[in-house]
């Protein structure tokens, strides 16, 4: 059965339009500028990309939650002919002619495909090949990054050897080596918690920018320096050096706040960087158990990017932690409206809030809506059983119990049982901190 | 109502799919509305090759469309049974398809008891278009000569009427009229066709004289019933008779007679429920009949302006058929009229939770209640849910714009405004 919606009837399309057809949205989350910035950079006039980079699941969620069946899921050419806009037609041509394009052009096409979450296609177009000059190394980086994103989404946490190879082989003091090192630094810190590796890649990333102290003059340098210190602060974080984390995050924030963007693209890049710095600073405040500061910074996220579902989830979580459950519920509701990403998580957390507020019936409805997005949610199904029992919804409780048995039979991961506010939770997947 | 020992439900990831499972694969559901038992009973009759009691309620063609849409069952049959993917077919569904292939290709083979039962199952499952295509138009002379042919003609006419359910204004029931006038008399099929004509004239044309004519055709059958044994089936038909014929005094504005006739329908319906063995097929059919009678009595109470009585009647239905979304919507509407918005929201959200029919309406009405209760955030989410299911509703688009503005979701307000404009242009063009 195909969808009978037109794009104008879908709010998801309205908000995330560039991901569907590379035309600008009237208003939307900052992340929706990603494909447009990459498109604008097809002539090399931007020279910088956005950090937001969603995995393939985001694209799947976009198509499913929009109810629009005519748009591309895995390959731009899947978009129905009547839905193709002029820039989308160009993209299709570039993909078709990819082998005959020059390397610089190929790199830009790959960057655009990554921005649109066509990671698997990047792997198909670009066979693994080492890159020793800046352009071929960047092409290899795009491939390695797409592979890394796909594996991360699939929960495969193996050593990112392809990225390591790019970082090793790329020319010294090049942007490509810097980008690879920044991804590896983040991976070493967040995934492996390997201080030695993180320190190594921090040094490599700094060296690629000319070595510390870094030159923050001009918008481009300011952006790179801010991005660098936000990532680099993982090193003192792993070492438990609170003072140094704060000092480096101060630099990251100060530099981007004082940067002077020229034109709308740079303004978006600056705002995005400030968003990510603020997000990191919120976590830094949480780490230091300064909940008031964390709450203020989380609120700032919703001001910087008001139509970003993830920002409202972050703010809601902080509010919940500080006991503002009612306000947290409002944020999770807002997140569910603006999603993807994170509709299923937002609804699950909304259910948790409503349970905490003593409204099992509304909690049950939130859990049921969450299950419509992710039918395999064990914790969510348990929430249905719990709240249906409390609300006297006997048939819903029986369905939930029956469904739980099925999930167990299907071998759905029992770890999901322990998910919940204050106990770790499923996160909206895909928003990578470092995109090359 | 609960059925124990239901087999594992591979499509049970969505509550609405589980509650209405018989419509998807002919397997019984763990829990569900009474009407979801109709296909189960009809299939059982087909298997045992013997007549059994059947339910009155036949869901609209859109019910099937909405069920598949809302539950995401893309591999399941939408327009005709054999569309169902092989992997999703239960043995029951495979057998149903096999029998349809065997009997459905020829009107002569359909004019057998098995063919008639197959057609009835198609009606219950919502395959109305398929049934109209499969059965030829049957002339009056054939109808008059063969009770089985008359039954097929009635089923075809019924299916055609269901296809016009959303817009009855342009529908002319010439085929149903033909069955009512030419089926062997007295016969149950002639009685059903005449009752369909009474309802049509009461609800669509408002022609009291025509309704009265068909009422007299029904009278003959009931007089005939009085000569036979007092079987549960005969009692069921008498209850149906009183419920249907009360439309005639209703059209004449004669409230006491309407009440008196519906009272007769209710007494018979309650007695049949009390007399039938709990859990038996007849008990389910008796409850289905009581459900229909009490719904009519609720409307009667609303008509005479007795809101508490209307509320009591529909509340009783919701007690024995709590998972029927339509009942919950009716209950919510009565609560809303009484100004009890909390209870109304409760009923509308229950309806939305149960799934079709009426899910978009349930969300919309819950949103209206929340708006009146000054809870714009909740209203917004209900209107959004309604919009996702029914993107052609101008009222939803307008209300969505208003509450999105109020909540401060500016892009959503802009989107809803543009959407409302497009709908407005569409309806004016």
């Amino acid at each position: 059965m195909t969808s009978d919606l037109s794009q104008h009837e879908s709010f998801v399309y309205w908000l995330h339009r560039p991901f569907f057809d590379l035309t600008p949205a009237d208003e939307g989350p900052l992340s929706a500028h990603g494909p447009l910035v990459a498109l604008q950079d097809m002539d090399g006039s931007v020279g910088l990309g956005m950090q937001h980079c969603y995995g393939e699941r985001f694209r799947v969620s976009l198509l499913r939650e929009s109810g629009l069946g005519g748009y591309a899921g895995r390959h731009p050419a899947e978009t129905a002919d009547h839905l193709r806009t002029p820039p989308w037609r160009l993209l299709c041509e570039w993909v078709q002619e990819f082998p005959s394009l020059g390397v610089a052009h190929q790199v830009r096409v790959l960057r655009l495909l990554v921005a649109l979450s066509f990671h698997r296609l990047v792997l198909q177009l670009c066979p693994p090949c080492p890159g020793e000059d800046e352009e071929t190394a960047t092409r290899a980086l795009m491939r390695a990054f797409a592979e890394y994103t796909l594996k991360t989404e699939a929960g495969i946490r193996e050593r990112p050897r392809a990225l390591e190879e790019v970082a090793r082989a790329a020319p010294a003091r090049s942007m490509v080596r810097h980008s690879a090192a920044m991804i590896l630094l983040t991976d070493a810190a967040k995934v492996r918690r390997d201080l030695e590796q993180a320190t190594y890649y921090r040094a490599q990333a700094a060296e690629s920018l000319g070595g510390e102290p870094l030159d923050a003059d001009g918008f481009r340098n300011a952006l790179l320096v801010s991005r660098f210190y936000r990532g680099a602060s993982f090193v003192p974080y792993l070492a438990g050096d609170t003072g140094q984390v704060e000092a480096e995050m101060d630099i990251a924030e100060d530099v981007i706040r004082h940067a002077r963007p020229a034109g709308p693209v740079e303004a978006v890049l600056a705002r995005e960087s400030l968003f990510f710095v603020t997000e990191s600073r919120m976590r830094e405040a949480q780490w230091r158990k300064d909940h008031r500061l964390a709450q203020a910074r989380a609120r700032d996220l919703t001001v910087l990017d008001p139509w970003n579902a993830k920002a409202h989830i972050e703010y809601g979580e902080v509010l919940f932690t500080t006991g503002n459950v009612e306000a947290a519920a409002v944020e999770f509701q807002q997140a569910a409206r603006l999603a993807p990403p994170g509709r299923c998580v937002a609804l699950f957390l909304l259910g948790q809030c409503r349970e905490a507020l003593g409204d099992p019936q509304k909690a049950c409805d939130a859990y049921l809506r969450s299950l419509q997005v992710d039918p395999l949610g064990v914790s969510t199904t348990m929430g249905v059983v719990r709240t249906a029992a409390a609300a006297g919804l006997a048939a819903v409780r029986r369905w939930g119990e029956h469904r739980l048995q099925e999930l167990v039979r299907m071998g759905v991961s029992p770890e999901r049982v322990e998910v919940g506010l204050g106990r770790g939770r499923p996160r909206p997947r895909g928003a990578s901190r470092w995109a090359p | 109502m609960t059925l124990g020992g239901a087999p594992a439900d591979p499509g049970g990831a969505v509550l609405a799919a589980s509650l209405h499972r018989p419509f998807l694969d002919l397997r019984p559901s763990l829990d569900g509305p009474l009407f979801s038992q109709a296909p189960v009973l009809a299939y059982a009759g087909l298997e045992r090759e013997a007549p059994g009691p059947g339910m009155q309620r036949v869901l609209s063609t859109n019910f099937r469309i909405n069920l598949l849409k809302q539950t995401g069952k893309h591999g399941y049959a939408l327009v005709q049974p054999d569309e169902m993917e092989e992997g999703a077919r239960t043995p029951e569904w495979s057998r149903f398809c096999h029998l349809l292939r065997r009997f459905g290709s020829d009107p002569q083979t359909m004019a057998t008891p098995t063919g008639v039962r197959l057609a009835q199952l198609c009606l219950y499952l919502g395959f109305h278009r398929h049934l109209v295509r499969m059965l030829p138009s049957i002339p009056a002379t054939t109808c008059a000569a063969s009770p089985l042919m008359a039954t097929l003609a009635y089923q075809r006419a019924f299916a055609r009427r269901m296809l016009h359910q959303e817009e009855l204004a342009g529908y002319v029931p010439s085929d149903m009229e033909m069955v009512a006038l030419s089926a062997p008399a007295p016969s149950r099929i002639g009685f059903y066709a005449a009752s369909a004509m009474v309802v049509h004239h009461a609800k669509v044309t408002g022609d009291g004289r025509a309704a009265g004519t068909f009422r007299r055709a029904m009278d003959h059958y009931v007089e005939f019933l009085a000569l036979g044994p007092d079987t549960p089936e005969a009692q069921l038909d008498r209850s149906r008779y009183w419920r249907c014929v009360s439309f005639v005094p209703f059209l004449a504005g004669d409230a006491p007679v309407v009440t008196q006739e519906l009272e007769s329908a209710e007494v018979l319906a309650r007695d049949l429920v009390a007399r039938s063995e709990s859990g038996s097929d007849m008990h389910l059919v008796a409850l289905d009949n009581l459900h229909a009678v009490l719904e009519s009595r609720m409307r009667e109470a609303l008509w005479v302006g007795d809101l508490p009585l209307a509320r009591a009647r529909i509340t009783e239905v919701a007690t024995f058929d709590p998972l029927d979304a339509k009942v919950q919507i009716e209950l919510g509407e009565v609560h809303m009229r009484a100004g009890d918005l909390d209870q109304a929201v409760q009923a509308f959200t229950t309806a939305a939770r149960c799934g079709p029919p009426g899910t978009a309406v349930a969300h919309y009405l819950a949103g209206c209640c929340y708006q009146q209760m000054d809870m714009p955030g909740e209203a917004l989410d209900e209107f959004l849910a309604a919009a996702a299911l029914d993107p052609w509703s101008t009222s939803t688009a307008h209300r969505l714009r208003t509450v999105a503005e109020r909540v401060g979701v500016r892009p959503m307000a802009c989107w809803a405004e543009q959407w409302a404009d497009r709908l407005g242009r569409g309806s004016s063009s």
Side-chain angles (χ1 to χ4, degrees), chain A residues 43-62:
Chain A
D43 60 3
S45 61
V46 179
L48 287 163
M50 287 184 67
Q51 289 170 272
H52 263 105
C53 180
Y54 291 118
E56 281 197 341
R57 282 188 189 156
F58 172 71
R59 186 151 202 96
V60 172
S61 301
L62 270 183

Side-chain angles (χ1 to χ4, degrees), chain A residues 27 337 365 398-399 406, chain B residues 9 12 31 353 377 381 410:
Chain A
E27 263 187 306
R337 290 170 197 141
D365 284 334
R398 277 192 292 274
W399 169 78
E406 277 183 1
Chain B
D9 178 0
D31 286 279
R353 201 180 297 127
D381 290 338
R410 198 176 51 229

Side-chain angles (χ1 to χ4, degrees), chain B residues 70-284:
Chain B
Q70 284 170 235
T71 57
K73 298 288 172 207
H74 302 302
Y76 286 72
L78 181 66
V79 179
Q80 55 188 55
D82 61 6
E83 284 172 352
M84 181 120 135
E85 283 174 6
E86 283 294 337
R89 291 186 188 193
T90 56
E92 291 87 343
W93 198 272
S94 297
R95 174 133 176 85
F96 171 44
C97 291
H98 165 75
L99 288 172
L100 265 182
R101 275 195 304 275
R102 202 174 128 203
F103 285 84
S105 54
D106 179 356
Q108 289 308 315
T109 52
M110 277 303 279
T112 58
T114 302
V116 163
R117 285 184 208 119
L118 271 172
Q120 192 61 30
L121 184 51
C122 284
L123 271 184
Y124 284 132
L125 289 171
F127 294 120
H128 304 136
R129 198 169 300 281
H130 182 60
L131 197 56
V132 170
R133 275 201 301 249
M134 193 169 70
L135 298 174
S137 183
I138 296 166
T141 46
T142 314
C143 235
S146 159
L148 284 171
M149 278 296 191
T151 306
L152 288 179
Y154 168 77
Q155 288 167 325
R156 187 182 191 277
F158 197 100
R160 204 176 69 80
R161 179 176 170 277
M162 295 313 286
L163 290 172
H164 287 86
Q165 185 83 344
E166 304 301 318
E167 186 50 72
L168 277 173
Y171 161 69
V172 180
S174 49
D175 45 3
M176 188 64 85
E177 190 175 51
M178 181 274 290
V179 180
L181 297 175
S182 60
S187 72
R188 179 169 281 150
I189 278 306
F191 168 73
Y192 288 168
S195 72
M197 291 310 298
V198 171
V199 173
H200 176 75
H201 287 299
K203 288 187 170 176
V204 182
T205 66
D207 182 345
R209 186 186 292 251
T213 305
F214 287 104
R215 175 184 176 147
R216 282 190 288 284
M218 295 176 74
D219 291 343
H220 296 318
Y221 178 68
V222 172
E223 285 158 14
F224 162 76
L225 279 183
L227 303 175
D230 185 22
T231 61
E233 286 79 8
Q235 189 167 340
L236 187 68
D237 283 345
R238 285 205 301 277
S239 178
R240 288 179 71 164
Y241 166 79
W242 286 116
R243 185 167 78 88
C244 181
V245 296
S246 68
F247 273 119
V248 177
F250 167 76
L251 282 174
D254 189 344
V257 177
V258 170
T259 299
Q260 188 190 338
E261 294 190 338
L262 282 175
E263 188 74 41
S264 301
E266 185 180 338
V267 167
L268 287 162
R270 285 192 187 282
D271 183 60
L272 193 59
V273 171
R275 279 173 53 193
S276 52
E277 188 188 341
S278 180
S280 66
D281 291 355
M282 182 45 82
H283 189 68
L284 292 174

Side-chain angles (χ1 to χ4, degrees), chain B residues 366-386:
Chain B
C368 294
C369 290
Y370 280 128
Q371 244 186 321
Q372 284 189 52
M373 293 157 84
D374 199 25
M375 296 169 73
E378 272 69 17
L380 180 57
D381 290 338
E382 295 295 343
F383 290 137
L384 255 184

